[in-house]
mmCIF file of all heavy atoms in Angstrom:
data_model
loop_
_atom_site.group_PDB
_atom_site.id
_atom_site.type_symbol
_atom_site.label_atom_id
_atom_site.label_comp_id
_atom_site.label_asym_id
_atom_site.label_seq_id
_atom_site.Cartn_x
_atom_site.Cartn_y
_atom_site.Cartn_z
ATOM 1 N N ALA B 72 20.865 44.656 -5.625
ATOM 2 C CA ALA B 72 21.430 43.494 -4.937
ATOM 3 C C ALA B 72 20.346 42.481 -4.586
ATOM 4 O O ALA B 72 20.492 41.278 -4.841
ATOM 5 C CB ALA B 72 22.162 43.945 -3.672
ATOM 6 N N PHE B 73 19.253 42.950 -4.005
ATOM 7 C CA PHE B 73 18.181 42.035 -3.628
ATOM 8 C C PHE B 73 17.519 41.428 -4.861
ATOM 9 O O PHE B 73 17.211 40.235 -4.891
ATOM 10 C CB PHE B 73 17.144 42.747 -2.756
ATOM 11 C CG PHE B 73 17.654 43.052 -1.375
ATOM 12 C CD1 PHE B 73 17.745 44.350 -0.932
ATOM 13 C CD2 PHE B 73 18.050 42.039 -0.522
ATOM 14 C CE1 PHE B 73 18.221 44.646 0.336
ATOM 15 C CE2 PHE B 73 18.526 42.308 0.757
ATOM 16 C CZ PHE B 73 18.610 43.618 1.188
ATOM 17 N N GLY B 74 17.310 42.242 -5.879
ATOM 18 C CA GLY B 74 16.720 41.733 -7.120
ATOM 19 C C GLY B 74 17.605 40.705 -7.804
ATOM 20 O O GLY B 74 17.121 39.693 -8.326
ATOM 21 N N LEU B 75 18.904 40.940 -7.794
ATOM 22 C CA LEU B 75 19.852 40.005 -8.388
ATOM 23 C C LEU B 75 19.807 38.655 -7.679
ATOM 24 O O LEU B 75 19.759 37.599 -8.314
ATOM 25 C CB LEU B 75 21.270 40.584 -8.320
ATOM 26 C CG LEU B 75 22.416 39.675 -8.719
ATOM 27 C CD1 LEU B 75 22.370 39.396 -10.211
ATOM 28 C CD2 LEU B 75 23.732 40.309 -8.336
ATOM 29 N N ALA B 76 19.813 38.690 -6.362
ATOM 30 C CA ALA B 76 19.780 37.445 -5.594
ATOM 31 C C ALA B 76 18.492 36.667 -5.863
ATOM 32 O O ALA B 76 18.525 35.444 -6.063
ATOM 33 C CB ALA B 76 19.935 37.747 -4.108
ATOM 34 N N VAL B 77 17.368 37.352 -5.893
ATOM 35 C CA VAL B 77 16.095 36.684 -6.174
ATOM 36 C C VAL B 77 16.112 36.102 -7.586
ATOM 37 O O VAL B 77 15.639 34.993 -7.816
ATOM 38 C CB VAL B 77 14.903 37.651 -5.987
ATOM 39 C CG1 VAL B 77 13.607 37.033 -6.491
ATOM 40 C CG2 VAL B 77 14.763 38.033 -4.516
ATOM 41 N N GLY B 78 16.703 36.831 -8.524
ATOM 42 C CA GLY B 78 16.815 36.332 -9.895
ATOM 43 C C GLY B 78 17.629 35.053 -9.979
ATOM 44 O O GLY B 78 17.305 34.152 -10.754
ATOM 45 N N VAL B 79 18.678 34.949 -9.184
ATOM 46 C CA VAL B 79 19.477 33.720 -9.164
ATOM 47 C C VAL B 79 18.662 32.569 -8.593
ATOM 48 O O VAL B 79 18.654 31.469 -9.129
ATOM 49 C CB VAL B 79 20.789 33.923 -8.365
ATOM 50 C CG1 VAL B 79 21.469 32.601 -8.086
ATOM 51 C CG2 VAL B 79 21.730 34.838 -9.136
ATOM 52 N N ARG B 80 17.942 32.820 -7.515
ATOM 53 C CA ARG B 80 17.146 31.735 -6.918
ATOM 54 C C ARG B 80 16.027 31.289 -7.845
ATOM 55 O O ARG B 80 15.746 30.103 -7.971
ATOM 56 C CB ARG B 80 16.534 32.159 -5.589
ATOM 57 C CG ARG B 80 15.763 30.985 -4.972
ATOM 58 C CD ARG B 80 15.265 31.278 -3.592
ATOM 59 N NE ARG B 80 14.712 30.086 -3.006
ATOM 60 C CZ ARG B 80 13.445 29.695 -3.177
ATOM 61 N NH1 ARG B 80 12.613 30.402 -3.908
ATOM 62 N NH2 ARG B 80 13.016 28.595 -2.605
ATOM 63 N N ASP B 81 15.401 32.240 -8.507
ATOM 64 C CA ASP B 81 14.289 31.916 -9.391
ATOM 65 C C ASP B 81 14.748 31.492 -10.779
ATOM 66 O O ASP B 81 13.936 31.362 -11.683
ATOM 67 C CB ASP B 81 13.334 33.102 -9.499
ATOM 68 C CG ASP B 81 12.624 33.401 -8.189
ATOM 69 O OD1 ASP B 81 12.750 32.597 -7.244
ATOM 70 O OD2 ASP B 81 11.958 34.442 -8.112
ATOM 71 N N ALA B 82 16.078 31.310 -10.934
ATOM 72 C CA ALA B 82 16.680 30.915 -12.212
ATOM 73 C C ALA B 82 16.324 31.907 -13.309
ATOM 74 O O ALA B 82 16.094 31.534 -14.451
ATOM 75 C CB ALA B 82 16.288 29.487 -12.585
ATOM 76 N N GLY B 83 16.309 33.188 -12.944
ATOM 77 C CA GLY B 83 16.014 34.233 -13.921
ATOM 78 C C GLY B 83 17.265 34.775 -14.577
ATOM 79 O O GLY B 83 17.186 35.687 -15.372
ATOM 80 N N HIS B 84 18.411 34.202 -14.247
ATOM 81 C CA HIS B 84 19.651 34.686 -14.840
ATOM 82 C C HIS B 84 19.832 34.084 -16.222
ATOM 83 O O HIS B 84 19.150 33.149 -16.618
ATOM 84 C CB HIS B 84 20.846 34.364 -13.929
ATOM 85 C CG HIS B 84 20.971 32.916 -13.581
ATOM 86 N ND1 HIS B 84 21.606 32.014 -14.379
ATOM 87 C CD2 HIS B 84 20.513 32.224 -12.515
ATOM 88 C CE1 HIS B 84 21.552 30.821 -13.831
ATOM 89 N NE2 HIS B 84 20.886 30.924 -12.694
ATOM 90 N N ILE B 85 20.774 34.610 -16.938
ATOM 91 C CA ILE B 85 21.031 34.145 -18.304
ATOM 92 C C ILE B 85 21.545 32.716 -18.255
ATOM 93 O O ILE B 85 22.461 32.394 -17.512
ATOM 94 C CB ILE B 85 22.059 35.061 -18.998
ATOM 95 C CG1 ILE B 85 21.511 36.473 -19.110
ATOM 96 C CG2 ILE B 85 22.435 34.506 -20.364
ATOM 97 C CD1 ILE B 85 22.519 37.477 -19.614
ATOM 98 N N GLY B 86 20.968 31.868 -19.055
ATOM 99 C CA GLY B 86 21.397 30.474 -19.094
ATOM 100 C C GLY B 86 21.497 29.993 -20.528
ATOM 101 O O GLY B 86 20.999 30.620 -21.457
ATOM 102 N N LEU B 87 22.161 28.880 -20.691
ATOM 103 C CA LEU B 87 22.303 28.273 -22.015
ATOM 104 C C LEU B 87 21.499 26.981 -22.060
ATOM 105 O O LEU B 87 22.025 25.909 -22.338
ATOM 106 C CB LEU B 87 23.779 28.011 -22.321
ATOM 107 C CG LEU B 87 24.670 29.239 -22.356
ATOM 108 C CD1 LEU B 87 26.116 28.840 -22.533
ATOM 109 C CD2 LEU B 87 24.236 30.172 -23.458
ATOM 110 N N GLU B 88 20.212 27.103 -21.795
ATOM 111 C CA GLU B 88 19.367 25.925 -21.728
ATOM 112 C C GLU B 88 19.261 25.223 -23.069
ATOM 113 O O GLU B 88 19.059 24.017 -23.125
ATOM 114 C CB GLU B 88 17.975 26.296 -21.212
ATOM 115 C CG GLU B 88 17.997 26.668 -19.751
ATOM 116 C CD GLU B 88 16.614 26.893 -19.209
ATOM 117 O OE1 GLU B 88 15.640 26.395 -19.799
ATOM 118 O OE2 GLU B 88 16.499 27.565 -18.181
ATOM 119 N N SER B 89 19.402 25.958 -24.159
ATOM 120 C CA SER B 89 19.297 25.321 -25.463
ATOM 121 C C SER B 89 20.404 24.298 -25.662
ATOM 122 O O SER B 89 20.211 23.289 -26.335
ATOM 123 C CB SER B 89 19.323 26.365 -26.580
ATOM 124 O OG SER B 89 20.514 27.123 -26.497
ATOM 125 N N LEU B 90 21.571 24.532 -25.074
ATOM 126 C CA LEU B 90 22.657 23.562 -25.158
ATOM 127 C C LEU B 90 22.444 22.417 -24.173
ATOM 128 O O LEU B 90 22.796 21.276 -24.465
ATOM 129 C CB LEU B 90 24.001 24.243 -24.887
ATOM 130 C CG LEU B 90 24.444 25.289 -25.902
ATOM 131 C CD1 LEU B 90 25.745 25.929 -25.470
ATOM 132 C CD2 LEU B 90 24.586 24.660 -27.286
ATOM 133 N N LEU B 91 21.878 22.724 -23.008
ATOM 134 C CA LEU B 91 21.664 21.689 -21.996
ATOM 135 C C LEU B 91 20.667 20.634 -22.442
ATOM 136 O O LEU B 91 20.820 19.460 -22.116
ATOM 137 C CB LEU B 91 21.205 22.312 -20.680
ATOM 138 C CG LEU B 91 22.248 23.080 -19.886
ATOM 139 C CD1 LEU B 91 21.629 23.687 -18.633
ATOM 140 C CD2 LEU B 91 23.411 22.190 -19.509
ATOM 141 N N VAL B 92 19.645 21.018 -23.185
ATOM 142 C CA VAL B 92 18.630 20.047 -23.597
ATOM 143 C C VAL B 92 19.184 19.040 -24.596
ATOM 144 O O VAL B 92 18.600 17.976 -24.784
ATOM 145 C CB VAL B 92 17.366 20.737 -24.174
ATOM 146 C CG1 VAL B 92 16.672 21.551 -23.111
ATOM 147 C CG2 VAL B 92 17.675 21.546 -25.390
ATOM 148 N N LEU B 93 20.294 19.354 -25.224
ATOM 149 C CA LEU B 93 20.904 18.431 -26.171
ATOM 150 C C LEU B 93 21.708 17.333 -25.477
ATOM 151 O O LEU B 93 22.034 16.322 -26.081
ATOM 152 C CB LEU B 93 21.819 19.192 -27.139
ATOM 153 C CG LEU B 93 21.138 20.257 -28.008
ATOM 154 C CD1 LEU B 93 22.168 21.014 -28.819
ATOM 155 C CD2 LEU B 93 20.094 19.612 -28.906
ATOM 156 N N LEU B 94 22.028 17.543 -24.211
ATOM 157 C CA LEU B 94 22.824 16.571 -23.462
ATOM 158 C C LEU B 94 21.941 15.439 -22.940
ATOM 159 O O LEU B 94 20.755 15.639 -22.667
ATOM 160 C CB LEU B 94 23.501 17.252 -22.269
ATOM 161 C CG LEU B 94 24.554 18.300 -22.568
ATOM 162 C CD1 LEU B 94 25.003 18.983 -21.278
ATOM 163 C CD2 LEU B 94 25.746 17.681 -23.286
ATOM 164 N N PRO B 95 22.533 14.265 -22.758
ATOM 165 C CA PRO B 95 21.782 13.190 -22.082
ATOM 166 C C PRO B 95 21.447 13.619 -20.651
ATOM 167 O O PRO B 95 22.143 14.462 -20.074
ATOM 168 C CB PRO B 95 22.769 12.017 -22.067
ATOM 169 C CG PRO B 95 23.836 12.360 -23.051
ATOM 170 C CD PRO B 95 23.846 13.845 -23.200
ATOM 171 N N ALA B 96 20.401 13.039 -20.073
ATOM 172 C CA ALA B 96 19.902 13.459 -18.757
ATOM 173 C C ALA B 96 20.994 13.430 -17.697
ATOM 174 O O ALA B 96 21.097 14.345 -16.876
ATOM 175 C CB ALA B 96 18.731 12.579 -18.333
ATOM 176 N N ARG B 97 21.846 12.421 -17.687
ATOM 177 C CA ARG B 97 22.891 12.308 -16.670
ATOM 178 C C ARG B 97 23.889 13.464 -16.801
ATOM 179 O O ARG B 97 24.298 14.057 -15.816
ATOM 180 C CB ARG B 97 23.588 10.962 -16.833
ATOM 181 C CG ARG B 97 24.547 10.628 -15.734
ATOM 182 C CD ARG B 97 25.057 9.232 -15.918
ATOM 183 N NE ARG B 97 25.685 9.121 -17.236
ATOM 184 C CZ ARG B 97 26.800 8.446 -17.472
ATOM 185 N NH1 ARG B 97 27.375 7.792 -16.507
ATOM 186 N NH2 ARG B 97 27.308 8.387 -18.671
ATOM 187 N N TRP B 98 24.275 13.797 -18.018
ATOM 188 C CA TRP B 98 25.225 14.894 -18.239
ATOM 189 C C TRP B 98 24.567 16.249 -18.037
ATOM 190 O O TRP B 98 25.213 17.209 -17.638
ATOM 191 C CB TRP B 98 25.845 14.795 -19.632
ATOM 192 C CG TRP B 98 26.851 13.691 -19.696
ATOM 193 C CD1 TRP B 98 26.646 12.427 -20.200
ATOM 194 C CD2 TRP B 98 28.178 13.727 -19.215
ATOM 195 N NE1 TRP B 98 27.780 11.682 -20.057
ATOM 196 C CE2 TRP B 98 28.748 12.454 -19.453
ATOM 197 C CE3 TRP B 98 28.948 14.692 -18.586
ATOM 198 C CZ2 TRP B 98 30.041 12.151 -19.098
ATOM 199 C CZ3 TRP B 98 30.244 14.386 -18.242
ATOM 200 C CH2 TRP B 98 30.782 13.128 -18.488
ATOM 201 N N ARG B 99 23.275 16.318 -18.348
ATOM 202 C CA ARG B 99 22.546 17.574 -18.153
ATOM 203 C C ARG B 99 22.540 17.952 -16.677
ATOM 204 O O ARG B 99 22.815 19.098 -16.324
ATOM 205 C CB ARG B 99 21.108 17.444 -18.659
ATOM 206 C CG ARG B 99 20.330 18.746 -18.605
ATOM 207 C CD ARG B 99 18.913 18.642 -19.141
ATOM 208 N NE ARG B 99 18.832 17.835 -20.342
ATOM 209 C CZ ARG B 99 17.988 16.813 -20.510
ATOM 210 N NH1 ARG B 99 17.139 16.495 -19.548
ATOM 211 N NH2 ARG B 99 17.978 16.123 -21.621
ATOM 212 N N GLN B 100 22.280 16.985 -15.803
ATOM 213 C CA GLN B 100 22.269 17.281 -14.378
ATOM 214 C C GLN B 100 23.662 17.703 -13.905
ATOM 215 O O GLN B 100 23.799 18.649 -13.132
ATOM 216 C CB GLN B 100 21.795 16.078 -13.560
ATOM 217 C CG GLN B 100 21.696 16.414 -12.083
ATOM 218 C CD GLN B 100 21.350 15.238 -11.211
ATOM 219 O OE1 GLN B 100 21.690 14.100 -11.537
ATOM 220 N NE2 GLN B 100 20.679 15.502 -10.111
ATOM 221 N N ARG B 101 24.685 17.046 -14.379
ATOM 222 C CA ARG B 101 26.052 17.423 -14.008
ATOM 223 C C ARG B 101 26.384 18.834 -14.478
ATOM 224 O O ARG B 101 27.011 19.607 -13.750
ATOM 225 C CB ARG B 101 27.058 16.435 -14.594
ATOM 226 C CG ARG B 101 27.018 15.090 -13.934
ATOM 227 C CD ARG B 101 27.989 14.149 -14.569
ATOM 228 N NE ARG B 101 27.885 12.827 -13.970
ATOM 229 C CZ ARG B 101 28.449 11.748 -14.462
ATOM 230 N NH1 ARG B 101 29.165 11.820 -15.572
ATOM 231 N NH2 ARG B 101 28.311 10.597 -13.856
ATOM 232 N N ALA B 102 25.970 19.163 -15.701
ATOM 233 C CA ALA B 102 26.227 20.506 -16.229
ATOM 234 C C ALA B 102 25.470 21.563 -15.423
ATOM 235 O O ALA B 102 26.012 22.630 -15.130
ATOM 236 C CB ALA B 102 25.845 20.578 -17.708
#
Side-chain angles (χ1 to χ4, degrees):
F73 289 119
L75 172 69
V77 171
V79 168
R80 182 173 188 274
D81 293 352
H84 55 85
I85 298 172
L87 299 175
E88 290 186 21
S89 58
L90 295 177
L91 288 178
V92 295
L93 299 175
L94 294 173
R97 188 174 57 140
W98 286 99
R99 185 178 319 128
Q100 184 185 30
R101 289 178 183 168

